[in-house]
Amino acid sequence: METTKTPLLGMTLAELKDVARQMGMPAFAGGQMARWLYQRHVAMIDEMTDISKANRQKLAEAYTVGCQAPIDEQRSVDGTVKYLFPTAEGKFVETVYIPDHDRATLCVSSQVGCKMNCLFCQTGKQGFEGSLTATDILNQVYSLPERDTLTNIVFMGQGEPMDNLDNVLRATQVLTADYGYAWSPKRITVSSVGVRHKLQRFLDESDCHVAISLHAPNHELRSSLMPAERGMGIEEVVDLLRNYDFAHQRRLSFEYIVFDGVNDSKEHAQQIIHLLRGLDCRINLIRFHQIPEVNLRGVDDRRMEAFRDYLTQHGVFTTIRASRGQDIYAACGLLSTSKKIGEVRHEH
């Protein structure tokens, strides 16, 4: 992709109409471009065959589609596939495709690395290398080999979505708009640790499902695991969420990685019940996957099930999320491209 050209992928219908107008093309050409992009997934402007050849040539002088195929893939024994996508800035992000019977979920990234630096997350250890553009985010869907099988998208890959809110909102707008992918917002879940002002704006401007990274039910413990707690505490997050309706179309979930001897006691479960009392939500318990130089351990299945059962018996609907792609470092908290950036540059 030529960096001097502006990508069309990620543009809204109004923006594509503006492009048509600026190029001296008919007004309806914006709608034609949207169809070629979001329904037919062309790789080159010259493939937009219902636009005149002269207009396509003019368009191609200033614009490019903006799609880039993955440059590497790893396949797990359980069918999970991890792709390495290049970004417009010459960096790389990991994207995970998770097939599961009649469902196929894509875990997309919103940043290269992450500023949040949660103790238990490999992405945080990478540090922050930049936010993705809407083009970069959508390209993970657009250029996915299994794109046509997708049923769900989760913004749970590399990065904190609220720290790149404008581009995440633009990407979800294209995914849900009639001119775009026309997906129901119910097929998309956006995760967050909770970022002041940004989380509220997301709740106001999007109808997508919300997943909050909880991981600890009190301020002291969560602060020790997640530095972001000091910016927007979990009680403040929950107070904000109480202002929204999660009883009908939109779903609220809390992600909770269970650590042995850290956040897995009956007292912790009771604190969760107290914290979330009255909220229409569910908890997803997640197994911890060991990362280097971090002194945390996961719990066995029996402990995990006992924690789940206690919460469920006390009115908090709780499930244990199946761990997928662990053998290719595609499971929760394991995504990182710090080494790959060096490796890929060396290879090329």
Side-chain angles (χ1 to χ4, degrees):
M1 188 177 78
E2 295 177 49
T3 53
T4 52
K5 296 184 182 182
T6 303
L8 297 173
L9 176 60
M11 286 192 185
T12 64
L13 179 58
E15 289 166 337
L16 291 168
K17 286 179 176 176
D18 280 344
V19 168
R21 198 160 39 245
Q22 288 161 15
M23 292 276 128
M25 296 162 66
F28 60 79
Q32 290 174 308
M33 283 188 265
R35 281 192 295 280
W36 285 111
L37 288 168
Y38 302 128
Q39 292 169 30
R40 297 171 186 170
H41 296 90
V42 295
M44 298 170 63
I45 286 169
D46 202 46
E47 294 174 56
M48 300 181 179
T49 49
D50 60 1
I51 296 172
S52 75
K53 187 159 192 199
N55 279 333
R56 279 180 308 195
Q57 284 176 339
K58 198 159 45 167
L59 198 57
E61 285 170 13
Y63 294 92
T64 178
V65 168
C67 60
Q68 300 192 82
I71 59 166
D72 191 23
E73 65 180 63
Q74 290 177 275
R75 295 184 175 268
S76 167
V77 292
D78 65 21
T80 300
V81 189
K82 184 170 70 171
Y83 289 103
L84 186 68
F85 279 99
T87 75
E89 294 290 310
K91 298 185 185 331
F92 304 92
V93 288
E94 293 186 325
T95 306
V96 183
Y97 172 75
I98 310 164
D100 186 18
H101 303 295
D102 57 346
R103 283 170 65 96
T105 300
L106 189 68
C107 180
V108 301
S109 293
S110 57
Q111 296 181 313
V112 182
C114 186
K115 292 179 192 171
M116 300 301 128
N117 198 24
C118 298
L119 177 62
F120 46 83
C121 180
Q122 189 69 43
T123 309
K125 303 287 174 275
Q126 179 176 344
F128 177 70
E129 298 187 37
S131 286
L132 300 190
T133 63
T135 306
D136 292 328
I137 294 171
L138 285 167
N139 184 57
Q140 296 167 72
V141 180
Y142 197 93
S143 300
L144 183 79
E146 299 89 351
R147 179 191 62 233
D148 295 336
T149 69
L150 288 180
T151 61
N152 298 83
I153 291 174
V154 295
F155 282 74
M156 296 181 180
Q158 291 174 260
E160 163 56 51
M162 299 303 137
D163 196 41
N164 187 19
L165 184 55
D166 287 340
N167 289 311
V168 168
L169 284 172
R170 177 182 283 266
T172 57
Q173 180 185 345
V174 170
L175 287 166
T176 57
D178 290 342
Y179 66 78
Y181 285 73
W183 275 36
S184 163
K186 292 184 288 185
R187 296 170 65 181
I188 302 169
T189 301
V190 180
S191 73
S192 179
V193 299
V195 178
R196 187 175 279 122
H197 307 308
K198 302 290 186 70
L199 179 58
Q200 180 169 354
R201 196 179 138 214
F202 174 77
L203 290 164
D204 289 338
E205 295 182 26
S206 170
D207 293 320
C208 296
H209 295 326
V210 185
I212 300 296
S213 298
L214 176 58
H215 309 308
N218 64 67
H219 176 72
E220 291 72 27
L221 179 56
R222 197 166 184 262
S223 296
S224 70
L225 296 170
M226 304 168 68
E229 167 70 14
R230 297 191 279 274
M232 186 180 189
I234 192 60
E235 291 193 9
E236 185 183 347
V237 171
V238 171
D239 285 345
L240 174 63
L241 293 166
R242 291 190 190 281
N243 298 321
Y244 296 85
D245 178 14
F246 297 104
H248 296 94
Q249 297 296 310
R250 191 181 213 181
R251 196 169 67 225
L252 170 63
S253 57
F254 289 87
E255 310 293 300
Y256 196 93
I257 300 175
V258 187
F259 305 109
D260 183 33
V262 174
N263 66 350
D264 61 339
S265 70
K266 183 177 174 182
E267 184 184 1
H268 292 122
Q270 289 167 340
Q271 288 174 5
I272 291 172
I273 294 159
H274 178 73
L275 178 70
L276 304 183
R277 182 168 285 120
L279 257 188
D280 207 298
C281 64
R282 67 174 62 198
I283 287 190
N284 294 317
L285 300 182
I286 302 169
R287 289 174 175 82
F288 175 61
H289 303 286
Q290 201 73 41
I291 63 173
E293 297 171 32
V294 172
N295 189 26
L296 291 168
R297 295 185 311 278
V299 299
D300 60 24
D301 288 350
R302 188 178 57 79
R303 186 87 176 148
M304 188 84 101
E305 287 161 10
F307 201 76
R308 174 200 63 194
D309 294 347
Y310 186 88
L311 289 170
T312 300
Q313 286 158 12
H314 290 81
V316 181
F317 180 62
T318 305
T319 58
I320 298 172
R321 192 198 290 166
S323 184
R324 301 288 300 274
Q326 190 176 352
D327 57 320
I328 56 168
Y329 295 92
C332 184
L334 295 182
L335 299 187
S336 175
T337 48
S338 55
K339 286 185 181 168
K340 290 187 176 61
I341 288 168
E343 288 167 6
V344 171
R345 284 183 183 150
H346 179 72
E347 286 169 12
H348 290 259

